Amino acid sequence: QVQLVESGGGLVQTGDSLRLSCAASGRTFSNAAMGWFRQAPGKEREFVAGIGWTEYSEYADSVKGRFTVSRDSAKNTVYLQMNSLNAEDTAVYYCVGRSAGGVRRSSGAYEYWGQGTQVTVSS
């Protein structure tokens, strides 16, 4: 059984930083993209960042320059470093993985999802 387990969420102040981690088990993602989506209250789930097995990465315009996605293939883990957080970043953040292939911005491209971790940015 494949599991993606996120950690690192919490309550922070505007301008603070957080680092999310996602540990995968049950299969390797060494030849497939992993990434992060988020869903804020009353809004649709949206792509945040993705990283391929060559470490090619993509970002949503709203987080570009503030967030950095990275992965440690040996640990089967993906990270999301979030800096300069603001209230619009408040959401549940989901770790995702594909069975094969590169980064996609569509949620339907990702077969594997974590349970999510809450990030709340207080102003």
Side-chain angles (χ1 to χ4, degrees):
Q1 182 180 0
V2 178
Q3 284 191 313
L4 302 178
V5 180
E6 304 98 335
S7 61
L11 172 64
V12 297
Q13 302 287 326
T14 296
D16 284 351
S17 298
L18 273 178
R19 188 193 195 207
L20 305 183
S21 300
C22 171
S25 61
R27 63 155 287 162
T28 178
F29 289 91
S30 60
N31 63 342
M34 299 186 74
W36 297 88
F37 281 71
R38 69 184 181 185
Q39 188 166 21
K43 295 186 177 181
E44 294 188 356
R45 195 169 292 185
E46 64 175 356
F47 172 81
V48 176
I51 184 167
W53 64 93
T54 60
E55 302 200 5
Y56 165 80
S57 59
E58 291 189 22
Y59 298 89
D61 287 345
S62 59
V63 307
K64 199 173 296 182
R66 299 187 298 122
F67 290 11
T68 302
V69 62
S70 61
R71 65 190 296 170
D72 184 334
S73 295
K75 296 182 178 179
N76 221 18
T77 299
V78 64
Y79 306 95
L80 185 68
Q81 177 67 43
M82 305 185 294
N83 298 330
S84 302
L85 286 162
N86 57 60
E88 287 68 42
D89 297 316
T90 294
V92 177
Y93 284 72
Y94 297 91
C95 174
V96 297
R98 300 192 71 189
S99 58
V103 176
R104 296 291 184 271
R105 294 174 179 257
S106 170
S107 61
Y110 296 85
E111 293 88 347
Y112 305 103
W113 290 73
Q115 291 299 307
T117 185
Q118 177 71 47
V119 173
T120 302
V121 185
S122 172
S123 56

